[in-house]
Amino acid sequence: MKLFKVTDPEFKAYGKVIEGIDVTELLEALKETPCPDDVVYVPSEEKLEACGCTAQIQYSLFGGMPIQAGYCNGNNHLLNAVEYHRDSEVNVAQTDMILILGKEQDIQKDHTYDTAKMEAFLVPAGTMSEVYATTLHYAPCNVDGRKFRAAVILPKGTNTEAPAPQRNTPEDVLLFARNKWLIAHEEAQIEGAFVGLIGENLSVE
């Protein structure tokens, strides 16, 4: 799998690098968050949300809508699944990390998706990037085997407990958490997830 950078033209189909907001305070606060040997995701962290730049992100990138600022940290080299939201996701990389990305438009009618369509992007430490709502993504991956830390900023309530199941549209089978539609790879064995990733469980190793 070829490794692009988020500054390369190829990234424009998936998102964009955000400039103009000083995220130094947020990067410092991220250093105090746990970084385990697996992966931890916390949707909302008070210390991150108290940073002055978080209010600027809320205004400039979410138009003043209520948001949450959490973190995703740890040790990972596999794709395992893809998710998407109805809104953009903003990531602030405290360390170098790799995002494996795809397009919602390539999901088949039976909700399967071929991982061969995905591309990998290096996000350098200190970079803030927006991942569009139609971009398939999941947990970041390590660079050179080193653990990663990243702030994850989303509309408030995203990735929290799923609402009671309904079957109004075929897509409802993918709703895994609030504002989170998920397609898993069978190797990942994610309990309760729809298994629909076809092909290799991509690795950055």
Side-chain angles (χ1 to χ4, degrees):
M1 191 169 44
K2 182 177 179 179
L3 182 61
F4 297 100
K5 298 178 181 178
V6 290
T7 51
D8 290 336
E10 287 80 3
F11 185 62
K12 291 181 179 180
Y14 304 102
K16 62 183 177 183
V17 174
I18 304 298
E19 298 177 339
I21 298 176
D22 185 351
V23 293
T24 303
E25 184 183 6
L26 187 62
L27 293 172
E28 287 299 312
L30 274 169
K31 292 179 181 179
E32 305 302 318
T33 56
C35 196
D37 290 333
D38 50 3
V39 175
V40 61
Y41 171 68
V42 173
S44 177
E45 169 56 53
E46 184 177 351
K47 291 181 180 179
L48 303 183
E49 292 172 348
C51 294
C53 59
T54 302
Q56 295 176 335
I57 291 168
Q58 178 180 11
Y59 175 85
S60 296
L61 303 184
F62 291 91
M65 292 289 290
I67 63 168
Q68 63 193 28
Y71 59 87
C72 187
N73 301 343
N75 179 40
N76 178 50
H77 65 273
L78 291 170
L79 173 63
N80 286 327
V82 297
E83 67 179 10
Y84 58 96
H85 315 292
R86 286 294 187 254
D87 315 83
S88 288
E89 174 176 310
V90 174
N91 296 309
V92 182
Q94 199 272 325
T95 63
D96 291 346
M97 64 184 193
I98 295 171
L99 294 177
I100 304 176
L101 305 177
K103 299 174 183 175
E104 182 187 348
Q105 296 91 326
D106 290 328
I107 297 174
Q108 299 302 301
K109 191 173 182 179
D110 62 357
H111 311 305
T112 59
Y113 177 83
D114 186 352
T115 62
K117 295 180 178 293
M118 304 197 81
E119 296 182 296
F121 293 87
L122 172 66
V123 186
T127 302
M128 177 163 57
S129 58
E130 175 183 354
V131 171
Y132 298 144
T134 53
T135 295
L136 305 179
H137 60 282
Y138 204 50
C141 294
N142 304 340
V143 175
D144 296 330
R146 297 188 300 271
K147 293 180 181 180
F148 64 88
R149 274 192 173 95
V152 180
I153 303 165
L154 283 158
K156 193 171 183 64
T158 300
N159 290 332
T160 58
E161 185 177 357
Q166 299 182 28
R167 289 295 179 262
N168 303 316
T169 73
E171 187 187 23
D172 290 343
V173 299
L174 304 182
L175 190 61
F176 186 75
R178 198 172 300 274
N179 193 24
K180 175 178 181 152
W181 289 260
L182 183 79
I183 304 174
H185 195 283
E186 61 180 356
E187 293 179 4
Q189 297 185 334
I190 300 174
E191 185 177 355
F194 179 88
V195 177
L197 289 190
I198 297 171
E200 182 182 355
N201 187 17
L202 300 175
S203 172
V204 300
E205 284 191 332

